[in-house]
Amino acid sequence: MQRIRKAVIPAAGFGTRFLPATKAQPKEMLPILDKPVIQFVVEEAIASGIDDIVIITGRGKRAVEDHFDYSPELMEKLEKKGDKRMIETLNNLTKSADIHYIRQAEQKGLGDAIYCARKHIGGEPFAVLLGDEIIDSKVPCIKQLEQVFVKYQRSIIGVLQVPIERIRYYGCIKYDNQEDGIFSISDVVEKPTIQLAPSNIAIDGRYILTPKIFDCIESTKAGYGGEIQLTDSIKELLKYEPIYATTIEGKRYDVGSKLDYAKAFFDFTMKNEDFSAEYKSHVKNYLGEHP
Ligand code: G1P
């Protein structure tokens, strides 16, 4: 039975929704307290059993590579300080998976970003995790998709139900039938208007795709926003293979959006064992002073 060993994490977008913070640093490096967003995503892949990760970068994304790189000077300093806990944290960061980087020459869309990884992925099914989305869940999100993949051996898309007026921010699925949270997809459309949306089931930033997707991306023309959309390539893939979607269990943060970022920062700080007690009392006082 085929398992998922490789993941692609596209992290090449400009982050225009988060300016000016993202003028000189990648949005994927914005910290949620002490951990950059992309580290959450890499950790989700690793916790799902993936040990070969390709991050698609672009201009201005050097900090992402540096973050996962070994830093001898820093390690020496920590050794001198005797900070064993941080040494372990940093060692885990650099050693738990092979991380490769491919630069997308031009920002031509999500489909094009994934296409950049085709030679590395070769002929096996692989996971895609959008680099600016955190999904906080008991079972890592890609693991949830893999559990469905193991049964169907087809492309599996993570989905969530959204209020219909928000569907225009997402890719959207049309489905034939649904059983136990598994949808059999009959069509997909990128960022439809309410009038054109076939459902209120939105494509989340997590996918398991069969390698046939690369041929489909090749024949995908620019779509929504003038970009090569992965959703359009998935629509093409439907001509060749059945595709399924599964509802994701967990809390999702689109950290490319300022409000979701603020929520993620709050929630994760509330859960941090070093700070939660003091932070909670701060929040309580604040709410008391600003009812
Ligand atoms: C991308 C995908 C879209 C998906 C969304 C999830 O859009 O193109 O289909 O619903 O991610 O976050 P983006 O948010 O990059 O515009």
Side-chain angles (χ1 to χ4, degrees), residues 285-291:
N285 290 343
Y286 181 89
L287 292 176
E289 288 160 15
H290 305 83

Side-chain angles (χ1 to χ4, degrees), residues 8-32:
V8 180
I9 302 181
F14 281 128
T16 41
R17 285 183 297 163
F18 225 117
L19 284 166
T22 48
K23 184 163 178 277
Q25 69 166 333
K27 62 177 167 176
E28 295 80 8
M29 288 302 295
L30 290 168
I32 305 293

Side-chain angles (χ1 to χ4, degrees), residues 76-289:
E76 207 183 298
K77 273 219 158 84
L78 293 172
E79 302 258 348
K80 274 193 192 139
K81 264 177 72 183
D83 191 342
K84 289 208 178 92
R85 190 169 148 192
M86 189 49 68
I87 290 173
E88 200 190 324
T89 304
L90 296 187
N91 271 337
N92 286 342
L93 191 62
T94 48
K95 287 189 183 144
S96 36
D98 286 339
I99 304 185
H100 311 267
Y101 300 90
I102 298 177
R103 271 170 84 106
Q104 186 186 21
E106 221 185 303
Q107 281 197 16
K108 291 198 284 190
L110 182 57
D112 182 70
I114 303 300
Y115 189 73
C116 294
R118 73 192 180 286
K119 287 188 185 145
H120 187 91
I121 297 296
E124 59 185 289
F126 63 102
V128 172
L129 299 87
L130 300 195
D132 58 0
E133 252 173 58
I134 296 177
I135 296 169
D136 187 24
S137 55
K138 272 203 200 105
V139 179
C141 188
I142 280 296
K143 187 93 206 151
Q144 294 178 33
L145 263 61
E146 203 207 17
Q147 284 163 355
V148 182
F149 173 80
V150 164
K151 184 165 168 207
Y152 292 89
Q153 300 285 308
R154 302 287 185 185
S155 296
I156 311 291
I157 299 176
V159 290
L160 70 159
Q161 204 172 340
V162 298
I164 192 71
E165 51 297 348
R166 291 202 52 83
I167 198 73
R168 66 193 168 97
Y169 298 112
Y170 296 92
C172 171
I173 67 161
K174 185 177 177 187
Y175 56 93
D176 288 336
N177 57 15
Q178 192 221 135
E179 234 185 279
D180 301 333
I182 313 287
F183 300 86
S184 167
I185 298 180
S186 55
D187 197 8
V188 285
V189 40
E190 180 69 5
K191 307 203 171 84
T193 58
I194 295 187
Q195 291 75 22
L196 292 179
S199 74
N200 66 338
I201 308 294
I203 298 177
D204 208 341
R206 299 292 186 267
Y207 312 74
I208 285 176
L209 297 169
T210 58
K212 178 75 185 159
I213 193 72
F214 294 119
D215 292 342
C216 298
I217 298 174
E218 260 176 38
S219 57
T220 301
K221 303 221 162 38
Y224 183 91
E227 296 188 342
I228 310 283
Q229 295 291 350
L230 183 61
T231 304
D232 293 340
S233 308
I234 290 171
K235 188 184 175 84
E236 181 70 15
L237 184 62
L238 269 170
K239 292 183 189 163
Y240 304 94
E241 301 170 358
I243 303 177
Y244 298 92
T246 181
T247 310
I248 275 164
E249 306 282 349
K251 196 159 181 188
R252 171 184 181 272
Y253 304 91
D254 169 10
V255 273
S257 118
K258 289 179 189 173
L259 182 61
D260 259 23
Y261 174 78
K263 287 180 186 170
F265 202 107
F266 178 84
D267 290 1
F268 281 98
T269 309
M270 278 299 221
K271 286 200 285 187
N272 183 293
E273 55 183 34
D274 292 339
F275 299 105
S276 72
E278 227 174 295
Y279 196 57
K280 259 181 207 155
S281 90
H282 167 78
V283 172
K284 238 181 173 170
N285 290 343
Y286 181 89
L287 292 176
E289 288 160 15

